[in-house]
Amino acid sequence: MESRRVLFFTASFVKRLISSNLFTLSAKRTVYPLVHRLGANLNTKVQIHEIPSKLERLHVGMGDVPQLSENATKPVIIKLQSPLFTNLFTDEFRFVQHLFEKENHELRFCGGAVRDLLLGKAPHDLDLATTATPTEMIEMFRKNDVRLICENGWSHGTVTCRVEEQNFEITTLRIDRVTDGRRALVEYTKDWYLDASRRDLTCNSLFLTMSGNVIDYFNGISDVKDKKVRFVGDPALRIQEDYLRILRYFRFFGRLKEEPAIPDESTLQEITKYGSGLGGVAGERKWVEFTMILNGRLLVLIMKMMYRCGILKQLGLPEQVDLEEFENVYNRSKHFSPNHMTLLTSILKDKTDLDHFMSVIKCSRYEYNVAKFIIEHRALYRPDKDMISVYVDLLVDSYKQDKNLVNVFMELMKYIGQADIMDYFTHFNIPTFPLKGGILKERFGMKGKPVGIAINFAFQKWKESRYKLDSEALLQLIENNRSDFVKK
């Protein structure tokens, strides 16, 4: 059966490419047959709007895809013999493996799973690559009554099946034919070298066959063992293909490197040169990578590297940040497992900084609340003062406002980083205010505004007693001052 190249694109993407300097003569020759099929003319931008906005899949006959590139170097191959490897072959996986073998489709482990096995770690996620196209995989799984999930991945070449309780995410080998720094025109291939060459880092460009052979085209094996983080090929090209790879570089720097970790200066220069491209990447995508950096290793060093390269401002953070304060907060809170937002708030001066960050990076409501609460209350701390009573009042007030703020309050305690205070509140039972508005109606016939005024009065008296007054004592106080509430 003739193999055909499969390209995916959207109208808005093609339109941007045509108007950008990325749309070279070579790129036009690649894209022209696709646009021509839909009646669009590359020489005019008007007709570009005729391309459907829905993602289209086009099969374009442009010759057979070679099994191996002529310029491909001979890969390094080593045999992996480890119980961690054999443990991957569960009954569920063997069933999937058998389906691919029966249809003569190659299937290999790739990316993080191979890297983890080389490091002697059990893989958390199984990434798989195949020569089968998404259409071939879908037909194969449906024919064998295998459940398919995550259908939105199909247009990107990824098919996920579920066997019993185990999911398997399998991606077709592909080439990024034309890119704009955010997404690409994707071409499927059966060439493992070409797929490896489009990956970001050498440590992620490895394949592992079902027989245990690690296939390495770009010295990824030695880089993993030597704790080196390198882009595949030319860093400038890899970065411009997808600017998110800048953050992935820093994430894997923290994952692979050991202290003292020394970055490659030439790579940092390229990141500095092209870092502004991150500004065009969706905030959600940047936040996913950045949170993994914030929760990873070597964080202080990486933040200094990112600041030096001008990357922090591309993430919505201030152009001038106090990294000394960031390091102080990190060192005093790291033993308490702080939320990543707790650490990041150390370089946000005020709510204006926070709101700007939120306009660039789309955080969750909880993450926003953590940062806002810390910004509002971190100045309370005084090292020469007994802070327990101050923080008890803050916790009680917060709990009254919103019970969900208890976890947010604990992030402030981690930010302050005082072990005795943390220990106190880790075992602290929040006192419960003993009155509710309904009892005032029953006892005094109160209703409307006076009830709220009386409750607030009682709440303040309860706090002043250090939370010792019971309901009867508070009701007596209300009765003694009842005329004041009615007047108000």
Side-chain angles (χ1 to χ4, degrees):
M1 181 178 178
E2 181 186 6
S3 63
R4 290 183 173 273
R5 299 180 177 187
V6 183
L7 300 177
F8 293 83
F9 66 93
T10 61
S12 60
F13 175 48
V14 173
K15 185 177 178 182
R16 279 200 308 275
L17 287 175
I18 292 173
S19 61
S20 71
N21 57 8
L22 284 172
F23 206 90
T24 61
L25 179 61
S26 173
K28 284 187 178 184
R29 287 172 178 164
T30 301
V31 179
Y32 180 80
L34 306 179
V35 182
H36 180 69
R37 284 196 171 211
L38 295 175
N41 185 344
L42 282 178
N43 295 320
T44 64
K45 297 180 183 178
V46 178
Q47 293 181 343
I48 291 300
H49 295 285
E50 297 177 13
I51 301 176
S53 59
K54 183 180 179 182
L55 198 66
E56 297 280 344
R57 185 176 66 188
L58 300 177
H59 298 263
V60 182
M62 299 173 67
D64 290 346
V65 176
Q67 292 301 307
L68 185 64
S69 305
E70 293 179 2
N71 61 342
T73 57
K74 187 176 181 181
V76 172
I77 301 175
I78 66 168
K79 190 74 172 180
L80 186 65
Q81 295 178 322
S82 164
L84 295 174
F85 172 60
T86 56
N87 289 342
L88 300 181
F89 291 84
T90 60
D91 291 340
E92 293 83 358
F93 179 73
R94 289 189 183 278
F95 173 76
V96 173
Q97 179 191 2
H98 173 69
L99 294 182
F100 279 84
E101 290 176 348
K102 188 169 64 173
E103 298 292 336
N104 294 316
H105 299 311
E106 287 188 84
L107 182 69
R108 296 178 184 176
F109 300 103
C110 63
V114 188
R115 182 188 64 245
D116 288 343
L117 287 169
L118 289 173
L119 291 171
K121 301 177 182 178
H124 293 293
D125 300 301
L126 282 188
D127 298 320
L128 293 155
T130 182
T131 54
T133 66
T135 300
E136 289 170 333
M137 284 192 279
I138 292 166
E139 290 175 354
M140 176 182 69
F141 287 133
R142 283 178 173 167
K143 184 171 63 177
N144 291 275
D145 296 322
V146 176
R147 182 185 173 191
L148 295 171
I149 60 176
C150 303
E151 294 186 14
N152 59 334
W154 295 358
S155 61
H156 306 291
T158 300
V159 175
T160 304
C161 69
R162 184 171 180 82
V163 181
E164 298 297 338
E165 298 300 317
Q166 195 169 359
N167 295 342
F168 299 99
E169 187 176 284
I170 309 163
T171 302
T172 302
L173 300 183
R174 55 189 176 175
I175 310 164
D176 295 340
R177 270 300 175 201
V178 187
T179 64
D180 71 343
R182 292 185 295 172
R183 55 180 69 84
L185 297 179
V186 176
E187 177 183 329
Y188 295 145
T189 180
K190 295 184 182 296
D191 188 330
W192 294 91
Y193 169 78
L194 288 178
D195 185 271
S197 66
R198 63 166 285 279
R199 294 178 179 263
D200 51 5
L201 305 169
T202 58
C203 62
N204 296 330
S205 67
L206 303 167
F207 298 109
L208 175 60
T209 68
M210 299 297 109
S211 60
N213 288 325
V214 179
I215 312 297
D216 176 15
Y217 292 101
F218 298 101
N219 297 317
I221 295 172
S222 61
D223 284 346
V224 170
K225 291 182 177 179
D226 295 338
K227 312 294 185 184
K228 290 183 179 179
V229 184
R230 290 191 307 115
F231 284 103
V232 171
D234 185 350
L237 293 177
R238 293 290 83 78
I239 290 170
Q240 291 177 87
E241 288 168 352
D242 183 354
Y243 292 106
L244 196 67
R245 288 172 173 172
I246 291 173
L247 297 183
R248 287 177 61 80
Y249 172 84
F250 290 118
R251 173 157 70 90
F252 283 100
F253 186 94
R255 182 173 292 187
L256 284 180
K257 286 286 190 178
E258 299 288 350
E259 295 188 273
I262 301 174
D264 176 67
E265 286 299 322
S266 62
T267 300
L268 293 187
Q269 289 173 11
E270 298 295 343
I271 289 174
T272 302
K273 183 176 181 180
Y274 297 107
S276 60
L278 267 175
V281 178
E284 294 85 352
R285 295 182 69 207
K286 289 189 285 193
W287 186 232
V288 168
E289 289 293 332
F290 194 24
T291 53
M292 287 190 278
I293 291 171
L294 291 169
N295 286 296
R297 300 169 56 254
L298 306 179
L299 178 56
V300 172
L301 172 60
I302 291 173
M303 288 292 285
K304 290 178 179 178
M305 291 162 55
M306 292 173 68
Y307 179 62
R308 172 187 158 192
C309 295
I311 300 304
L312 295 184
K313 63 182 180 182
Q314 301 300 332
L315 301 174
L317 294 169
E319 289 202 28
Q320 301 296 324
V321 299
D322 188 350
L323 288 180
E324 183 176 344
E325 176 62 11
F326 179 86
E327 186 170 3
N328 289 338
V329 171
Y330 175 80
N331 286 332
R332 69 183 182 231
S333 66
K334 61 184 178 181
H335 304 296
F336 306 125
S337 301
N339 183 275
H340 48 267
M341 205 66 193
T342 300
L343 300 175
L344 194 61
T345 305
S346 64
I347 56 179
L348 298 173
K349 297 187 295 295
D350 49 34
K351 190 173 178 294
T352 300
D353 280 355
L354 173 60
D355 290 342
H356 176 69
F357 176 74
M358 284 291 294
S359 71
V360 177
I361 300 289
K362 304 300 186 289
C363 303
S364 69
R365 175 54 54 181
Y366 175 74
E367 290 165 331
Y368 176 79
N369 286 340
V370 166
K372 182 173 178 288
F373 193 86
I374 291 174
I375 288 171
E376 291 174 344
H377 301 294
R378 59 188 167 190
L380 284 173
Y381 179 71
R382 295 288 184 273
D384 56 343
K385 183 178 178 181
D386 179 12
M387 296 302 300
I388 295 296
S389 61
V390 175
Y391 287 137
V392 167
D393 287 348
L394 177 60
L395 176 57
V396 171
D397 287 341
S398 301
Y399 185 75
K400 179 188 177 187
Q401 176 187 343
D402 182 352
K403 291 180 173 57
N404 294 321
L405 286 178
V406 173
N407 290 334
V408 173
F409 171 85
M410 290 307 297
E411 290 302 320
L412 172 65
M413 297 300 97
K414 295 174 186 178
Y415 184 96
I416 300 303
Q418 298 299 309
D420 56 338
I421 297 177
M422 269 298 299
D423 184 65
Y424 181 87
F425 283 103
T426 299
H427 304 92
F428 182 70
N429 291 318
I430 304 172
T432 303
F433 182 54
L435 286 187
K436 291 187 178 180
I439 196 171
L440 301 188
K441 183 178 180 180
E442 295 176 6
R443 180 74 68 92
F444 307 116
M446 284 187 181
K447 59 182 178 178
K449 187 177 178 181
V451 173
I453 297 172
I455 287 291
N456 287 334
F457 167 81
F459 186 81
Q460 291 303 318
K461 292 298 181 181
W462 180 61
K463 285 178 65 177
E464 291 170 8
S465 74
R466 301 319 299 158
Y467 313 104
K468 293 178 181 178
L469 290 177
D470 60 16
S471 59
E472 285 302 320
L474 293 172
L475 288 170
Q476 186 62 51
L477 285 172
I478 290 174
E479 185 170 12
N480 294 342
N481 295 272
R482 188 174 169 186
S483 58
D484 293 339
F485 309 139
V486 176
K487 288 177 183 178
K488 293 178 181 178

